[in-house]
C-alpha cells in the first residue's frame, strides 16, 4: 500500500487550532470580557463545521476562559476583584514552590536562556509583548523543576489573569518594578539560593497582585 503517511500524533486537529486561536485572543485581550462567541461565525472564519468549534468552546469553558449564558451562549468570562486576588495568592504559593524545586536543576544553558528573556523584557518597548516575555522568563526557570502537572496549573492560572496583568504592566509602574524583581530572581538562581529565589518569586507575584487590584478598584469605581 502506497500512502504519504503523516504522524497524526503531531498533527493539530481542527478543534485544537480553534481552541489555541481563541485562547490566545482571550488572554491577549483581543476578545473583550463579555464578548459573544457565535459558533456559526467562528466555524465560518476557520472554514470548518460547528463540531470542532463546540469542542474548543467546551475546553475553554473548562479552563474558565468563557462561560455559557442563557440567551447569549458562549461569552468571554470576566473575573471579580476577589477572584483575581485569590488567583494571585494561589500563584504565589505554587510558583514559589516550583522555583524552589527548579534551582538545584538549573544548568548554564537554562540560566542563559532566562537571562536572555530578562534582558528582552528590560529592552522591549512594545507593551503588547510584555506579557509574553514575562511568561517566557518565568517558564524558562520553572521548567527545570520537572513538575509538568505544576506547570499545567500555573499555565491555567496565568491564562485566567493574563489580560488583566497586561493592563497592570502597561498602565501602572508595574514594568519598572518587574524588571528589577526579575533581575533579583535571576541573581538568586545563579547563586543557587533556592530559598531566596522562592521568597523573591512569592513577593514578586503578591506585589503584582496588589498593584493590579488597586488599579482595578479605581477603574471599576
Amino acid at each position: 500500500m502506497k500512502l504519504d503517511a503523516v504522524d497524526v500524533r503531531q498533527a493539530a486537529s481542527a478543534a485544537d487550532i480553534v481552541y489555541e486561536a481563541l485562547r490566545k485572543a482571550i488572554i491577549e485581550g483581543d476578545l473583550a470580557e463579555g464578548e459573544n462567541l457565535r459558533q456559526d461565525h467562528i466555524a465560518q472564519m476557520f472554514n470548518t463545521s460547528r463540531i470542532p468549534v463546540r469542542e474548543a468552546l467546551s475546553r475553554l469553558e473548562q479552563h474558565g476562559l468563557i462561560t455559557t449564558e442563557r440567551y447569549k451562549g458562549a461569552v468571554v468570562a470576566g473575573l471579580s476583584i476577589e477572584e483575581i486576588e485569590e488567583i494571585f495568592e494561589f500563584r504565589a504559593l505554587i510558583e514559589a514552590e516550583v522555583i524552589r524545586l527548579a534551582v538545584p536543576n538549573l544548568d548554564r544553558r537554562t540560566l542563559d536562556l532566562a537571562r536572555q528573556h530578562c534582558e528582552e523584557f528590560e529592552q522591549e518597548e512594545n507593551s503588547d509583548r510584555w506579557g509574553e516575555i514575562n511568561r517566557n522568563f518565568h517558564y524558562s526557570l520553572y521548567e527545570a523543576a520537572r513538575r509538568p502537572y505544576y506547570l499545567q496549573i500555573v499555565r491555567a492560572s496565568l491564562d485566567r489573569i493574563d489580560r488583566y496583568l497586561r493592563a497592570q504592566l502597561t498602565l501602572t509602574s508595574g514594568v519598572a518594578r518587574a524588571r528589577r524583581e526579575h533581575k533579583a530572581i535571576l541573581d538568586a538562581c545563579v547563586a543557587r539560593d533556592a530559598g531566596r529565589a522562592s521568597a523573591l518569586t512569592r513577593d514578586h507575584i503578591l506585589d503584582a497582585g496588589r498593584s493590579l487590584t488597586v488599579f482595578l478598584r479605581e477603574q471599576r469605581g
Side-chain angles (χ1 to χ4, degrees):
M1 182 182 294
K2 295 185 65 176
L3 291 172
D4 291 329
V6 174
D7 186 349
V8 296
R9 295 172 300 178
Q10 305 299 321
S13 68
D16 290 337
I17 293 170
V18 175
Y19 169 79
E20 285 299 335
L22 291 174
R23 171 185 165 274
K24 183 174 184 292
I26 291 170
I27 66 176
E28 293 184 357
D30 294 329
L31 289 172
E33 181 179 318
E35 187 166 345
N36 185 229
L37 303 177
R38 291 175 45 210
Q39 291 187 27
D40 55 347
H41 180 62
I42 296 169
Q44 186 177 19
M45 287 179 64
F46 285 88
N47 194 28
T48 187
S49 71
R50 290 190 184 189
I51 295 173
V53 175
R54 195 176 302 122
E55 180 182 334
L57 293 176
S58 176
R59 289 167 60 187
L60 290 167
E61 186 166 21
Q62 290 171 13
H63 288 91
L65 293 176
I66 70 170
T67 59
T68 302
E69 296 184 1
R70 192 175 183 182
Y71 305 124
K72 290 188 68 175
V75 298
V76 177
L79 288 173
S80 68
I81 290 176
E82 290 73 22
E83 288 171 321
I84 291 171
E85 287 177 326
E86 184 178 357
I87 290 172
F88 272 92
E89 289 169 0
F90 176 77
R91 284 188 56 214
L93 288 171
I94 193 167
E95 292 181 45
E97 176 64 8
V98 168
I99 201 164
R100 185 188 68 79
L101 294 168
V103 167
N105 302 323
L106 293 172
D107 55 23
R108 179 54 53 190
R109 181 174 175 275
T110 302
L111 290 170
D112 286 345
L113 179 61
R115 184 174 290 105
Q116 289 175 23
H117 291 313
C118 188
E119 291 172 353
E120 186 180 8
F121 191 83
E122 288 185 10
Q123 297 166 9
E124 183 59 60
E125 296 181 357
N126 182 0
S127 60
D128 290 341
R129 296 205 61 232
W130 288 342
E132 174 192 356
I133 301 169
N134 176 70
R135 187 183 289 219
N136 289 343
F137 168 73
H138 288 288
Y139 261 70
S140 64
L141 296 169
Y142 293 167
E143 287 178 345
R146 300 168 188 168
R147 296 294 194 280
Y149 183 69
Y150 282 24
L151 292 183
Q152 181 182 339
I153 296 172
V154 170
R155 182 176 187 258
S157 298
L158 284 169
D159 283 354
R160 294 292 306 278
I161 53 88
D162 207 34
R163 62 188 183 275
Y164 301 100
L165 187 57
R166 287 165 188 262
Q168 181 261 334
L169 288 172
T170 306
L171 301 173
T172 71
S173 60
V175 171
R177 184 173 61 203
R179 286 169 174 162
R180 294 192 301 269
E181 292 174 353
H182 284 171
K183 186 176 185 306
I185 291 168
L186 181 59
D187 288 345
C189 290
V190 171
R192 308 291 176 176
D193 191 336
R196 179 164 174 75
S198 177
L200 288 169
T201 298
R202 178 180 180 276
D203 290 345
H204 171 62
I205 294 168
L206 290 177
D207 286 346
R210 281 189 288 267
S211 176
L212 175 58
T213 53
V214 167
F215 168 74
L216 289 176
R217 283 195 172 95
E218 291 174 352
Q219 292 294 306
R220 296 180 182 183

